[in-house]
Amino acid sequence: MKKVLFAAILTAASMLAAQTIIGSDTVLPLSQQQAEAFMKSHKDAKVTVTGGGSGVGINALISGTTDIAQSSRKIKFDEKKKITDAGSKVAEVVVAYDALAVIVHPSNKAINLTREQLEGIFTGKITNWKEVGGADLKIVPYSRETSSGTYEFFKEEVLKKKDYVAGIMSMPATGAIVQSISQTPGAIGYIGLGYLDKRVKAVKVSYDQGKTFVEPSVANAKNETYPIVRPLIYYYTENKSGTVKPFIDYSLSPAGQKIVSDVGFINVK
């Protein structure tokens, strides 16, 4: 009886063990707020959340230096293989969805852009706003750095795997993109919907060659009219499932999903 009780105590303790979450800057504000709320309702829990990019989080998962990798892109085959080769398996949990917003300076008059025009801008074929209905002004494209899941998703989904223009302004964090674009009239970039604020302006995007243009919003992501939507994911190794399960369960609970809405993302439930 004492052995059973001792085992139960150890199990409960491990479920509330300190844990780390590393990765996507897009997911960062969501994870931070969920962690704060989780720790308030689970007094013995300690959850530490840091950014750095989806690639940084997944590499930390591979090296065993994080419990959860927060990611705005799917894990790659070679990344998953490294974990399985080490004798574990990767678990994937979608905790929210995000509409990726294309943003410009508030003074920019070019408010409608097709996917083909975005491809041209970010690959360097279109260099002046007058080519897409704006003023005679040089285009200054901003991008996340290569470790970012947002960088990779935008390249795959919008640029159709074409390379970004050489010398593009690569920023280490989403907040830095917002700040830079708010101060640069010719600038353009892309951010997660949760980072959109009044300092910048979101453009409407068309994926049907200009027939319809749709603005990024939670409503348009839910009704599937806005075309640039992606899952936001928690990855963990199955040998850590006992440690991370309480937090994962909380993130998918009504309370956790309310935080998803509050941050500006789209619920999974």
Side-chain angles (χ1 to χ4, degrees):
M1 182 66 182
K2 288 183 178 179
K3 288 183 178 180
V4 173
L5 180 60
F6 182 67
I9 291 171
L10 282 178
T11 300
S14 67
M15 290 181 70
L16 294 177
Q19 55 190 290
T20 58
I21 303 173
I22 299 175
S24 168
D25 281 332
T26 298
V27 190
L28 183 62
L30 172 61
S31 297
Q32 286 175 326
Q33 291 194 32
Q34 287 185 336
E36 288 172 8
F38 176 75
M39 287 187 287
K40 285 181 181 178
S41 59
H42 298 75
K43 300 299 184 183
D44 296 328
K46 180 174 176 57
V47 183
T48 304
V49 185
T50 56
S54 299
V56 171
I58 292 173
N59 283 334
L61 191 70
I62 292 168
S63 66
T65 55
T66 190
D67 298 297
I68 297 173
Q70 56 191 10
S71 182
S72 59
R73 65 163 172 86
K74 290 278 190 178
I75 192 169
K76 299 175 183 177
F77 174 81
D78 62 320
E79 293 169 333
K80 184 181 289 187
K81 188 174 185 299
K82 288 178 182 177
I83 294 172
T84 55
D85 286 349
S88 190
K89 292 183 179 180
V90 180
E92 174 187 289
V93 178
V94 175
V95 293
Y97 289 92
D98 176 34
L100 200 62
V102 176
I103 58 170
V104 295
H105 189 272
S107 65
N108 198 318
K109 303 301 182 184
I111 58 173
N112 297 329
L113 292 171
T114 66
R115 187 207 65 77
E116 291 80 9
Q117 287 173 328
L118 289 172
E119 179 186 309
I121 288 170
F122 282 91
T123 58
K125 293 180 180 179
I126 298 174
T127 59
N128 193 296
W129 282 108
K130 67 182 180 181
E131 299 176 64
V132 290
D136 185 3
L137 182 67
K138 181 183 177 182
I139 295 174
V140 183
Y142 281 83
S143 169
R144 284 298 312 281
E145 56 191 5
T146 57
S147 63
S148 164
T150 307
Y151 169 98
E152 296 204 27
F153 177 82
F154 192 83
K155 179 178 180 179
E156 183 172 331
E157 173 63 25
V158 180
L159 307 188
K160 300 304 178 184
K161 301 184 179 180
K162 295 180 177 66
D163 290 334
Y164 288 87
V165 60
I168 193 168
M169 302 291 289
S170 296
M171 307 303 287
T174 302
I177 288 182
V178 175
Q179 181 70 17
S180 297
I181 290 177
S182 71
Q183 299 173 343
T184 310
I188 185 171
Y190 51 86
I191 60 172
L193 191 61
Y195 281 87
L196 189 60
D197 64 33
K198 294 180 180 179
R199 293 177 294 165
V200 294
K201 180 170 65 178
V203 302
K204 296 180 180 179
V205 176
S206 171
Y207 263 50
D208 57 8
Q209 297 182 326
K211 294 176 184 176
T212 55
F213 291 88
V214 184
E215 66 178 341
S217 69
V218 171
N220 289 338
K222 284 184 175 179
N223 65 26
E224 299 182 350
T225 58
Y226 187 72
I228 316 175
V229 177
R230 57 182 175 163
L232 303 180
I233 306 164
Y234 287 156
Y235 287 107
Y236 62 93
T237 54
E238 290 187 351
N239 61 315
K240 291 287 187 74
S241 59
T243 300
V244 305
K245 187 177 187 303
F247 178 76
I248 296 290
D249 288 347
Y250 178 82
S251 70
L252 297 174
S253 72
Q257 288 295 296
K258 182 180 183 303
I259 295 172
V260 170
S261 299
D262 292 344
V263 172
F265 295 130
I266 300 99
N267 293 5
V268 296
K269 296 184 178 181

